[in-house]
Amino acid sequence: MSDQDVIHRFIFDNTDIRGEILSLHKTKLESGENQSTPKALLPVFGDFLSGACLLSEVLKFEGILSLQASGDGPVSMIMAEANNQGHVRGIIKLSEEDAHKALDEDFFSKATLPELLGKTSLIITIDPDKGQRYQGIVPIEEPSLAKCLEHYFYQSEQLPTQVHLFSNEEHCGGLFLQCLPAQLVTDNDEREKHWDTARALASTCTEEELFTLSHQELLLRLFHDMQCRLFEPKALSFKCSCSEARCLNALKALGQQEVYKLLAEHDLIQMDCQFCATPYAFGKENVDALFNGDTDESVLH
Ligand SMILES: [Zn+2]
């Protein structure tokens, strides 16, 4: 029986190599439900969801990690975020340019990440509950998100890292390996041998294995001679953090003049959450209260 909607951390005894393995099913379906993109784009959307969960777990902090890329390609934007409680959500949007409208499922299913997004960069944002927000930027030059993330780890931590992401319409997940600085093994040749072996074995992992076997079974199959030890799993689920208060906050940020202009044009300001499609609507009463200070400020922050 396969593991679903969980991430496991693992280590290999007597080496400095650590790993993560995750599989998403319900989380993937629910996150994609409100995205009106061609089915052939669900796998790349899945890669972003898995990537956000992996990084959030690897970087271990309390707060939100997001992966985002916007460009002038046929896909104008993809983003996914995950927090330390295992809540995941994402958005994928097609470009409205006429030039891209004739593209079909066949194109989307074969396109590389740069072909989908155009010339752009991946922005990795680490937004801790306490402390400074941090952003890392990696140019999207590699064909896949997995390769971009390997590039990010090489650039930011100088640690050899391997990322495999797998995704189809219904499932997504991944396998992550990283060689940490010398602690248990100090002999360089031995360290290199461990890393080369782990890396080569991980590369044999297939999508079918990840989506049909339990994580324990799969790791045993891949790394049977390496004494792999799994830690307790962490549950992952689709959960949106939108709320009326957050929408009002966004309106406040737009400014009084702009918001009254919108109200004059539409009578009711309607905002549908792009992650979960929850509809929000605000009338004159709400807008007056927002800008006349009648709204409880504490609710807004
Ligand atoms: Zn929402």
Side-chain angles (χ1 to χ4, degrees), residues 35 71 74 78 85 100 138 149 222 231:
Q35 307 303 315
I78 314 182
Q85 291 161 296
H100 300 138
V138 191
L149 296 178
L222 290 173
F231 292 92

Side-chain angles (χ1 to χ4, degrees), residues 89 238-243 272-278 280:
R89 59 179 194 164
F238 167 69
K239 188 161 186 195
C240 191
S241 53
C242 68
S243 66
D272 291 349
C273 174
Q274 297 187 65
F275 294 95
C276 71
T278 300
Y280 294 94

Side-chain angles (χ1 to χ4, degrees), residues 150-222:
E150 286 178 3
H151 184 147
Y152 167 74
F153 279 105
Y154 184 73
Q155 179 184 293
S156 66
E157 302 187 4
Q158 275 96 47
L159 296 176
T161 303
Q162 196 185 43
V163 181
H164 296 280
L165 296 176
F166 299 97
S167 194
N168 59 29
E169 277 180 30
E170 295 195 350
H171 297 264
C172 62
L175 181 62
F176 166 96
L177 283 185
Q178 190 166 59
C179 188
L180 296 167
Q183 269 183 316
L184 300 173
V185 185
T186 47
D187 180 82
N188 270 341
D189 288 345
E190 207 179 330
R191 281 173 60 76
E192 215 162 289
K193 209 177 97 197
H194 287 158
W195 177 242
D196 285 346
T197 307
R199 211 163 52 137
L201 294 173
S203 299
T204 67
C205 179
T206 65
E207 176 179 309
E208 200 200 334
E209 284 174 320
L210 181 64
F211 298 155
T212 55
L213 300 175
S214 73
H215 291 167
Q216 175 101 45
E217 282 172 307
L218 174 55
L219 293 176
L220 201 66
R221 185 186 279 196
L222 290 173

Side-chain angles (χ1 to χ4, degrees), residues 56 60-65 82-85 126-130:
S56 166
K60 271 265 170 258
F61 66 99
E62 291 190 4
I64 301 167
L65 181 130
N83 67 13
N84 55 299
Q85 291 161 296
I126 295 161
D127 200 354
D129 293 341
K130 288 175 197 151

Side-chain angles (χ1 to χ4, degrees), residues 3-8 20-25 27-28 42-54 145-146 149 163-176 205-211 215 218 236:
D3 276 308
Q4 292 184 347
D5 300 292
V6 289
I7 185 162
H8 277 94
E20 302 278 350
I21 183 167
L22 89 151
S23 310
L24 298 174
H25 175 53
T27 311
K28 162 99 193 304
L42 289 174
V44 68
F45 181 60
D47 282 350
F48 271 71
L49 296 173
S50 303
C53 295
L54 269 179
L145 181 67
L149 296 178
V163 181
H164 296 280
L165 296 176
F166 299 97
S167 194
N168 59 29
E169 277 180 30
E170 295 195 350
H171 297 264
C172 62
L175 181 62
F176 166 96
C205 179
T206 65
E207 176 179 309
E208 200 200 334
E209 284 174 320
L210 181 64
F211 298 155
H215 291 167
L218 174 55
L236 301 167

